[in-house]
Amino acid sequence: MGTRGPRRGPGPPDGGWGWAVLGACFVVTGFAYGFPKAVSVFFRALMRDFGAGYSDTAWVSSIMLAMLYGTGPVSSILVTRFGCRPVMLVGGLLASAGMVLASFATRLLELYLTAGVLTGLGLALNFQPSLIMLGLYFERRRPLANGLAAAGSPVFLSALSPLGQQLLEHFGWRGGFLLLGGLLLHCCACGAVMRPPPGPRPRRKSAGDAPGEAEADSAGLRLREAPSGGRTRRRLLDVTVCTDRAFAVYAVTKFLMALGLFVPAILLVNYAKDAGVPDSEAAFLLSIVGFVDIVARPACGALAGLARLRPHVAYLFSLALMANGLTDLSSARARTYGALVSFCVAFGLSYGMVGALQFEVLMAAVGAARFPSALGLVLLLEAVAVLIGPPSAGRLVDALKNYEIIFYLAGSEVALAGVFMAVATKCCLRRSQDATPSPGTKGGASDTEDAEAEVDSEPLPTSAEEPGGLEALAVPSPGTGPSEPEMEAEPGLDSESV
């Protein structure tokens, strides 16, 4: 940089219009996670009309989920190029158009392309930009905001399934798809809410700036890189985030987690029926998980926002993973209804903690400027794990006719993810930071929130490896010299990119 240090303005508002953004993120998260599962209430009617089996019909939800996770990098590129609001508006139109077109389908292949690909892509183009915008509006209250937004998933899941059943009974599956397509237009309204947060004007480049230095412009999402020739080139997807140790640890953790996290919830009802539980009581077990999940997510977000716990949010996340894994392991032999209810309460609590903390940990690890690219790459990796874990568990159940082994495997994978997260954060990331202290670490930040804000607002380094990590919240950010440093505005969205 030049002779003067970075300048930072007032930062995210942590309220105001941010609450409207939070409400929109709540709705979008609910549609993204709840809609693919709610569509399953139409499967029996689809099987009857198309003469297909359950596995063939279930591919509609599978393709929708695969598009939601697997198109993460595409969503990152579009957000970087056009901004959050236009991408979300187009995504809402695509999601709605997919369900409307699916209501006229005459073959399963047409359902795959419309309800699966088109609607899944539209939900993906809404989900990721909403999380990015939420991080730009909240800093001090960001853990609470993430927890409240994540609560949209269990709320919408518990609402969309009964709604789908009512639509099926009164209008058939074609009329139900048509009305659900109209309901998805609410995603467009949520996208219109995503206006850029207020912020200072972008800092002009000083004479001391190196021509090849990578920096984040006033949009906070448009990453530019000046090559040797002097022309500025826009980097649509910042793949250099993969060289960051903190991101690598988080990516491995998420992959291991996704292999087993969703398996118990998918097999729970059939497992209870196999144990002799009546059908109505077995179905109610998922409702117990959902109710506990609704309370656990915002509560855990508020807990993670406490001053003493926020610097250690990575350890809190690993604790939630280990608790979820141990719950699966200890409940593998549960055969009575009371034991299954206890499992659902413990599982819903730990599952809600994981859901509330997963994106907060990623934001803290990579910062606001690189969060869009990091989120897209993580979702792509999670898509691979989701396509491996639950299908493999289903095949093992068919082959072994035993749910106990599945619970042991799923619990071991999630618990291993938690142990890896804690050990890698403590031994690798923390040790590497302590071994390479910066000259400015003597002064430090006044509190953990200022330290976090400084880490998130630092310009992108040109080297392949960064000193940042999951423990960055607890490490004072480097100073710029003996003179009083001036701060630069944390990356945000400007009116030109949205």
Side-chain angles (χ1 to χ4, degrees):
M1 300 296 292
T3 56
R4 304 180 70 90
R7 180 185 303 274
R8 182 169 59 193
D14 270 311
W17 189 254
W19 297 117
V21 173
L22 174 58
C25 192
F26 176 90
V27 173
V28 169
T29 302
F31 275 127
Y33 282 114
F35 199 83
K37 301 171 185 176
V39 173
S40 62
V41 301
F42 297 94
F43 283 176
R44 190 175 297 275
L46 294 174
M47 292 165 58
R48 182 182 63 249
D49 285 6
F50 293 107
Y54 182 85
S55 59
D56 294 331
T57 309
W59 270 105
V60 176
S61 291
S62 299
I63 294 174
M64 199 180 295
L65 285 172
M67 294 298 294
L68 176 65
Y69 288 112
T71 56
V74 176
S75 183
S76 296
I77 292 173
L78 293 176
V79 168
T80 304
R81 178 63 180 85
F82 301 105
C84 289
R85 184 156 49 181
V87 172
M88 291 187 66
L89 290 173
V90 173
L93 292 176
L94 288 177
S96 176
M99 294 305 296
V100 171
L101 292 175
S103 66
F104 299 98
T106 58
R107 295 181 300 168
L108 274 180
L109 178 60
E110 296 174 359
L111 279 179
Y112 296 160
L113 296 177
T114 53
V117 175
L118 201 58
T119 299
L121 177 60
L123 292 175
L125 295 182
N126 272 269
F127 175 61
Q128 187 169 331
S130 67
L131 291 178
I132 295 169
M133 186 64 76
L134 189 67
L136 297 177
Y137 265 94
F138 289 91
E139 179 181 318
R140 182 171 57 87
R141 296 172 177 169
R142 193 176 66 198
L144 175 61
N146 278 320
L148 290 173
S153 173
V155 170
F156 270 63
L157 180 59
S158 61
L160 286 176
S161 295
L163 175 62
Q165 185 64 38
Q166 291 297 319
L167 293 178
L168 177 64
E169 294 176 359
H170 289 84
F171 305 102
W173 71 267
R174 294 187 184 274
F177 276 18
L178 187 64
L179 293 173
L180 287 177
L183 188 64
L184 284 175
L185 286 175
H186 284 83
C187 293
C188 295
C190 294
V193 169
M194 302 295 177
R195 74 184 187 192
R201 295 181 179 178
R203 184 182 60 85
R204 293 183 178 180
K205 188 174 180 180
S206 62
D209 288 343
E213 183 178 2
E215 61 179 352
D217 66 1
S218 60
L221 300 175
R222 296 180 177 179
L223 306 177
R224 300 182 183 273
E225 194 178 58
S228 58
R231 286 185 66 181
T232 302
R233 177 172 59 88
R234 176 174 298 169
R235 189 189 304 163
L236 296 178
L237 185 65
D238 187 14
V239 294
T240 59
V241 71
C242 297
T243 62
D244 189 292
R245 291 184 180 180
F247 176 81
V249 169
Y250 181 85
V252 173
T253 301
K254 283 282 286 183
F255 183 83
L256 293 174
M257 178 201 80
L259 287 175
L261 181 66
F262 309 109
V263 171
I266 294 174
L267 301 179
L268 177 61
V269 174
N270 289 331
Y271 175 56
K273 292 178 180 179
D274 187 65
V277 177
D279 292 355
S280 59
E281 296 181 359
F284 185 68
L285 292 174
L286 280 180
S287 300
I288 296 176
V289 175
F291 293 146
V292 177
D293 192 6
I294 291 173
V295 177
R297 295 196 182 211
C300 184
L303 183 67
L306 298 177
R308 293 187 177 182
L309 292 180
R310 191 170 183 184
H312 311 291
V313 66
Y315 295 114
L316 190 60
F317 181 56
S318 65
L319 179 63
L321 289 173
M322 286 187 283
N324 187 273
L326 292 176
T327 299
D328 296 342
L329 293 174
S330 61
S331 303
R333 289 180 171 271
R335 307 296 292 179
T336 65
Y337 189 70
L340 289 174
V341 169
S342 300
F343 162 76
C344 290
V345 173
F347 181 84
L349 181 62
S350 58
Y351 187 83
M353 292 177 64
V354 172
L357 295 175
Q358 56 180 342
F359 297 118
E360 169 63 24
V361 174
L362 181 59
M363 288 180 185
V366 301
R370 298 192 300 171
F371 179 70
S373 298
L375 180 59
L377 294 172
V378 165
L379 290 178
L380 177 61
L381 190 64
E382 191 172 356
V384 177
V386 168
L387 292 176
I388 294 175
S392 300
R395 293 189 183 95
L396 285 176
V397 169
D398 293 337
L400 303 176
K401 307 298 181 182
N402 188 344
Y403 289 92
E404 182 177 334
I405 298 177
I406 307 304
F407 274 74
Y408 282 136
L409 289 176
S412 300
E413 290 163 349
V414 178
L416 178 62
V419 172
F420 174 80
M421 183 76 170
V423 172
T425 302
K426 178 66 176 179
C427 298
C428 300
L429 301 180
R430 186 75 175 187
R431 185 175 299 175
S432 65
Q433 292 170 0
D434 295 340
T436 57
S438 300
T441 55
K442 296 179 180 179
S446 58
D447 53 54
T448 57
E449 295 171 359
D450 289 340
E452 180 201 7
E454 289 182 20
V455 170
D456 285 348
S457 63
E458 286 180 2
L460 295 176
T462 55
S463 60
E465 182 175 334
E466 288 190 354
L470 297 173
E471 287 280 342
L473 299 176
V475 180
S477 58
T480 56
S483 61
E484 183 179 357
E486 298 179 0
M487 301 300 178
E488 182 179 0
E490 187 170 358
L493 287 171
D494 62 356
S495 57
E496 296 180 358
S497 63
V498 178

